[in-house]
Amino acid sequence: MSNKISIVIVSKGNPEDYEYSKLSIDFQTYKNFEIVQVETDNQSDIDGSQHSDYRVVASKNSSFYHACNLIIPSLKGDYCFFMKAGECLNN
């Protein structure tokens, strides 16, 4: 069984940046991961992923680092990767 990776995307209410990051994740060949979107602006109107292990967590008015620290206990993966919305994950 392969290790599960938690990919955390910290977003501040910009759907275009979030979609850019999520699209880069969709093109990965490794598929055992969960996507957790941490919305720091409480605008969770961003459309959910077609990925079965996806969730949105609100962390109002948090910095990137504070949001990451808050989400760590609820992650399901063996490893975690943090990125800001708008960043690209290369193959």
Side-chain angles (χ1 to χ4, degrees), residues 8-12 36-40 55-59 67-68 71:
V8 179
I9 304 172
V10 180
S11 176
K12 195 163 184 85
V36 180
Q37 176 193 347
V38 180
E39 183 56 58
T40 62
R55 58 195 159 114
V56 177
V57 177
S59 179
C68 291
I71 198 67

Side-chain angles (χ1 to χ4, degrees), residues 1-7 24-35 51 77-79 89-91:
M1 182 178 203
S2 59
N3 291 322
K4 185 171 196 160
I5 298 174
S6 296
I7 302 173
S24 74
I25 294 168
D26 289 342
F27 284 112
Q28 299 302 308
T29 55
Y30 191 83
K31 298 295 182 185
N32 189 15
F33 58 84
E34 70 170 333
I35 298 173
H51 190 270
D78 300 304
Y79 299 98
L89 186 60
N90 293 324
N91 289 346

